Amino acid sequence: MSSSLLFTPPTTKSNAEKKACCCDWGDKCSEFKTFFDKNKRELGQVVEVRYSNTCKFHNFLHAAAHFLHIPQSQQREWKTQYDKHVADKTNNISPAATCPRITIVKFHFPSILALTTTKWTTPLTREKIETLECYIGRDPPPQQDRLLIYNHKLGSGQKEPSDGKKLFRIAPCASKADVTAIAAKIQSEGSIEKPSSLSSTQTSQRAVGVVGSIVKCRHNQNIEMTRIRLEMEEEEMQQRTTEQWKDVVTEMKSEIDEKNAIIAAKEAEVERLLELQRLKDDEIAQLKGGVEKHRKRVRRTQTSLSADAADERIEGYCEVVWEKFLTLTSNAGGISRLTIFNDEWHANHPDAARLLWGYNSWKETKLYVNVFFNGEVDVNYDPSANIRHTKEGDLKMPNLTPFERCMACRMFFHLFAHEQIIAL
């Protein structure tokens, strides 16, 4: 294996120096850091991220914990230290507990991000990822990788973008083989990073050029380089302890539970939306039915109004004539359907009910008939109020009602025995 290395590793650093990074690479991390420091490269610098409860930090920590295999015990220790720091600050305890900081060496990140990034917890847009080509060749691609997709529900203080576009984390996802290729490039071809004298624009352009050359170098590597990569990954897996494997399994189970919870919530939301859609469909169907009925009613009304408008003048004249006729018969007397069932006529002829039917008054007549035939006749029916007019202007009398038939029978048995009827 040593004969296949593309650069000469330095001697292993002390344990104190190894703790500069929270990864699980052990001696490999120390060797790479020493190499980049010796060659005065930015990739050997250490990134410090202050622990907080913000959404940005927890997204950064989630990605770092997975790619660098940070044990959950370490994560719990950071959380405990941070909670004590917050409590001391809230209670004005001096000196307050130190806020923990997450330290990661830059070469753990994709090269272009390591050379250009200053705000490590700030999410990236898809456009910036495509411009920088920082996650090129990953499987699955960033837009399908849950480890890279920014989660707005972690931590606090972050809202989803109004345009609905996805954001992505800055993740320390560079493998040992990736870092080996970069170190080999430095050793064989010289500088790939910006000198301190370059301007910021030149630095950015130089960094992009460097990444382009690295990508080309990767594509041109032969089968031997692929074998080296696989051997190094296999070695990394073999060196992982039982405790580390347990942490990995626990992390995977936690992630699966989180995804299952998200799926269950999404399914419930879909079911709710489907039910809401069904209710809306029913409401729309009812509204359509009501609208159709209203349209038919409007068409009938328009037809009726058209006919009524043509006869309006005639009907108005008929109404006037009819009112005059009622006044005349009411004042002058005379027996007909239009008078003997009219309250006003009986008010002018108080003895008519006794002479016609044998009751003391018209009111008493209606009371008796209502008692005898309760629910079968309408004692308040007045034929004179239900006269209709034909289109030709003629009066059209209504049909005889049960009340009128009843009173006609009563009149037959009572009326003709009295000659006083002539006085009417």
Side-chain angles (χ1 to χ4, degrees):
M1 182 69 182
S2 59
S3 61
S4 301
L5 289 177
L6 300 182
F7 75 101
T8 304
T11 57
T12 303
K13 290 280 185 175
S14 64
N15 291 333
E17 291 172 314
K18 292 180 185 179
K19 295 181 180 178
C21 184
C22 62
C23 71
D24 69 338
W25 288 17
D27 292 343
K28 288 292 182 183
C29 182
S30 178
E31 291 172 6
F32 285 128
K33 181 174 179 1
T34 303
F35 173 81
F36 288 121
D37 287 342
K38 182 179 179 181
N39 287 274
K40 302 181 190 287
R41 310 299 176 186
E42 271 194 40
L43 294 178
Q45 295 178 3
V46 176
V47 174
E48 281 194 359
V49 179
R50 182 186 177 92
Y51 197 103
S52 69
N53 196 36
T54 62
C55 182
K56 291 182 178 180
F57 172 78
H58 279 282
N59 271 276
F60 175 82
L61 179 60
H62 185 80
H66 175 84
F67 286 109
L68 302 181
H69 305 111
I70 301 176
Q72 287 195 347
S73 57
Q74 178 63 66
Q75 297 180 51
R76 288 192 294 269
E77 182 180 343
W78 287 335
K79 180 67 167 60
T80 302
Q81 188 177 351
Y82 172 74
D83 291 341
K84 188 175 187 310
H85 167 75
V86 173
D88 289 353
K89 296 285 284 187
T90 303
N91 298 324
N92 295 323
I93 296 177
S94 182
T98 304
C99 182
R101 286 171 171 77
I102 314 304
T103 57
I104 303 173
V105 184
K106 280 189 176 183
F107 57 71
H108 286 293
F109 297 90
S111 300
I112 188 63
L113 294 179
L115 298 177
T116 60
T117 301
T118 56
K119 297 181 179 179
W120 299 94
T121 59
T122 301
L124 302 172
T125 62
R126 183 167 180 175
E127 291 77 9
K128 189 164 186 179
I129 286 178
E130 292 176 351
T131 300
L132 297 177
E133 297 182 340
C134 53
Y135 293 138
I136 188 170
R138 288 190 58 82
D139 185 21
Q143 60 271 21
Q144 298 177 10
D145 192 345
R146 285 287 182 183
L147 294 172
L148 297 181
I149 296 175
Y150 194 85
N151 187 352
H152 299 274
K153 296 181 180 180
L154 295 178
S156 61
Q158 186 76 21
K159 296 182 179 179
E160 294 190 16
S162 57
D163 56 8
K165 292 183 178 179
K166 288 183 179 179
L167 298 177
F168 301 89
R169 302 162 176 159
I170 296 177
C173 58
S175 66
K176 292 179 182 178
D178 294 333
V179 182
T180 300
I182 296 174
K185 189 72 175 178
I186 292 174
Q187 186 166 321
S188 62
E189 297 184 5
S191 175
I192 68 165
E193 299 182 19
K194 67 177 188 293
S196 58
S197 60
L198 294 179
S199 65
S200 59
T201 303
Q202 292 172 327
T203 299
S204 178
Q205 294 175 347
R206 187 73 171 274
V208 173
V210 167
V211 173
S213 63
I214 293 173
V215 171
K216 291 179 181 179
C217 179
R218 290 177 186 169
H219 286 301
N220 294 328
Q221 286 177 355
N222 54 19
I223 298 176
E224 180 65 18
M225 189 60 195
T226 303
R227 185 183 65 80
I228 294 173
R229 182 191 297 269
L230 294 174
E231 288 180 357
M232 294 182 69
E233 291 178 354
E234 183 179 358
E235 179 185 356
E236 178 184 352
M237 289 174 28
Q238 291 175 352
Q239 290 178 354
R240 191 172 292 170
T241 64
T242 303
E243 186 64 29
Q244 289 175 334
W245 278 114
K246 289 181 180 180
D247 290 339
V248 171
V249 172
T250 303
E251 180 70 19
M252 292 178 65
K253 288 182 178 179
S254 176
E255 186 175 348
I256 291 173
D257 292 340
E258 179 183 347
K259 290 182 178 180
N260 289 336
I262 293 174
I263 291 172
K266 293 296 183 183
E267 289 177 346
E269 180 68 12
V270 169
E271 186 62 29
R272 186 186 70 81
L273 292 175
L274 289 175
E275 181 63 25
L276 182 61
Q277 182 65 36
R278 286 193 288 268
L279 294 176
K280 290 294 182 182
D281 291 341
D282 294 341
E283 184 178 351
I284 290 172
Q286 293 177 359
L287 289 176
K288 286 182 177 179
V291 168
E292 187 60 30
K293 289 181 180 179
H294 182 69
R295 286 177 178 172
K296 292 180 179 179
R297 190 180 301 115
V298 168
R299 284 195 291 268
R300 290 196 299 267
T301 303
Q302 288 176 341
T303 303
S304 176
L305 288 175
S306 299
D308 292 344
D311 301 327
E312 184 176 357
R313 186 174 180 179
I314 296 175
E315 291 184 356
Y317 175 74
C318 291
E319 290 290 340
V320 174
V321 173
W322 177 244
E323 292 294 335
K324 291 182 179 180
F325 171 75
L326 288 180
T327 303
L328 179 63
T329 56
S330 176
N331 294 332
I335 297 177
S336 71
R337 290 177 65 193
L338 305 179
T339 56
I340 65 176
F341 295 104
N342 183 272
D343 292 343
E344 186 177 352
W345 185 84
H346 278 285
N348 294 329
H349 300 81
D351 295 332
R354 179 175 56 79
L355 295 174
L356 293 173
W357 300 295
Y359 296 108
N360 293 325
S361 66
W362 172 237
K363 181 177 181 181
E364 182 180 286
T365 301
K366 293 198 290 184
L367 288 174
Y368 271 102
V369 174
N370 189 47
V371 171
F372 293 149
F373 305 98
N374 185 26
E376 298 182 25
V377 299
D378 182 7
V379 298
N380 295 314
Y381 180 80
D382 185 355
S384 64
N386 294 274
I387 299 296
R388 297 292 180 267
H389 304 87
T390 64
K391 292 184 179 181
E392 292 74 19
D394 298 330
L395 297 179
K396 185 177 181 180
M397 298 290 291
N399 296 329
L400 284 175
T401 64
F403 177 51
E404 291 177 288
R405 294 193 186 98
C406 176
M407 299 312 294
C409 292
R410 174 71 180 177
M411 186 187 300
F412 177 81
F413 291 107
H414 176 77
L415 181 64
F416 297 105
H418 301 277
E419 296 178 356
Q420 291 169 304
I421 189 63
I422 301 174
L424 295 175

